[in-house]
Amino acid sequence: MPDELRADKNQGTAKGGFTPSTRSKVKRLYERGHHDRETLFSVLDQGFVCHVAYVIDGAPYVTPTAYWREGDLIYWHGSSASRMLRQVKTGIPVSLNVCFFDGLVLARSGFHSSINYRSATLFGTGQALESEDEILAALEAFTERMLPGRWAELRPPTKQEVKATTVFVMEIEEASAKIRTGPPGDDEEDYALPIWAGVLPIHTVFGEPEADPRLDPETPLPSYIKNFRFG
């Protein structure tokens, strides 16, 4: 981790909220907006995949990638040959979004129909981890964040694998969450209409583990997989 970030990496959980600017303040339906760390981190810590937005030669790009959080720092990684990672490594500003689709909100009119969702958008500048020790520590943190106990069982990464992997860290400079929950909000006169209205919820669940066809049948299923729960 870059020295200027290392000392502060876990201080974010002890602070209040992020101060919004014109780029991060929620303007439309502002009552759904949140800038406190507790709300933002509750969204971020539920997910595994984010979308990173950036500009190359005046053209916008969005790239999905895996991520994880430590304090006010967000990490993501990918192939060292990735165009996105090569560009972000030059120090360009990026925006990162995580979003969950929680349900269809079925109102009595198309205008008031909506979706329930949780979304967090972050702004900052990515920095690449340079040393092999930093990259290995970050990859271990990522693996353990997904499945605690997994890293100790894995074959250690080779030097070539570490060389082929770029890990970025971004301090969250600004951030906002936007969340919609609850039933539809119809016009008062529409509530008397004989039209079904409500919410069709969506729940993300993991299925039963599916063993690799080449797995030795005597290999036991680890407890951290048996007991895994989303989030």
Side-chain angles (χ1 to χ4, degrees), residues 17 21 51 54 61 84 89 97 100 104-105 131 167 177 197-198:
S21 71
H51 288 79
Y54 51 98
Y61 293 85
M84 180 268 284
K89 197 172 184 178
N97 177 266
F100 296 97
L104 294 172
V105 180
S131 76
V167 177

Side-chain angles (χ1 to χ4, degrees), residues 12-228:
T13 54
K15 300 177 184 177
F18 293 94
T19 302
S21 71
T22 53
R23 70 175 178 174
S24 59
K25 186 176 182 179
V26 177
K27 300 178 181 65
R28 184 177 180 276
L29 299 174
Y30 64 88
E31 68 277 6
R32 298 180 186 175
H34 305 266
H35 297 280
D36 62 287
R37 282 174 169 79
E38 182 179 3
T39 302
L40 283 156
F41 292 169
S42 71
V43 175
L44 293 173
D45 294 348
Q46 279 282 313
F48 295 108
V49 175
C50 68
H51 288 79
V52 182
Y54 51 98
V55 175
I56 301 176
D57 297 329
Y61 293 85
V62 175
T63 302
T65 186
Y67 76 95
W68 62 104
R69 181 187 70 84
E70 292 183 27
D72 276 3
L73 304 182
I74 294 290
Y75 293 81
W76 69 94
H77 78 293
S79 167
S80 296
S82 161
R83 175 174 60 179
M84 180 268 284
L85 294 175
R86 291 201 308 269
Q87 291 296 320
V88 174
K89 197 172 184 178
T90 65
I92 62 174
V94 300
S95 178
L96 184 150
N97 177 266
V98 174
C99 187
F100 296 97
F101 176 29
D102 293 327
L104 294 172
V105 180
L106 308 176
R108 294 164 180 83
S109 68
F111 183 81
H112 289 299
S113 295
S114 185
I115 63 171
N116 282 340
Y117 62 89
R118 290 162 292 146
S119 174
T121 300
L122 320 176
F123 299 90
T125 302
Q127 299 182 43
L129 301 185
E130 299 294 345
S131 76
E132 181 176 318
D133 288 344
E134 288 177 332
I135 294 172
L136 283 171
L139 295 178
E140 179 178 357
F142 176 43
T143 303
E144 289 297 295
R145 187 261 187 186
M146 289 191 296
L147 287 169
R150 181 71 172 169
W151 184 261
E153 291 190 355
L154 298 178
R155 169 185 62 76
T158 66
K159 287 187 176 295
Q160 186 58 38
E161 288 172 340
V162 174
K163 184 178 179 181
T165 303
T166 299
V167 177
F168 276 89
V169 58
M170 182 186 82
E171 183 174 17
I172 304 172
E173 297 171 3
E174 294 182 48
S176 63
K178 194 172 183 181
I179 298 172
R180 192 207 187 281
T181 61
D186 274 307
D187 293 332
E188 191 61 37
E189 60 271 21
D190 289 345
Y191 282 99
L193 295 174
I195 301 170
W196 193 94
V199 176
L200 187 61
I202 294 174
H203 300 287
T204 300
V205 297
F206 281 82
E208 290 297 317
E210 299 176 358
D212 181 345
R214 297 182 63 176
L215 183 71
D216 183 337
E218 299 299 319
T219 304
L221 183 69
S223 60
Y224 57 76
I225 296 179
K226 290 180 183 177
N227 301 324
F228 180 81

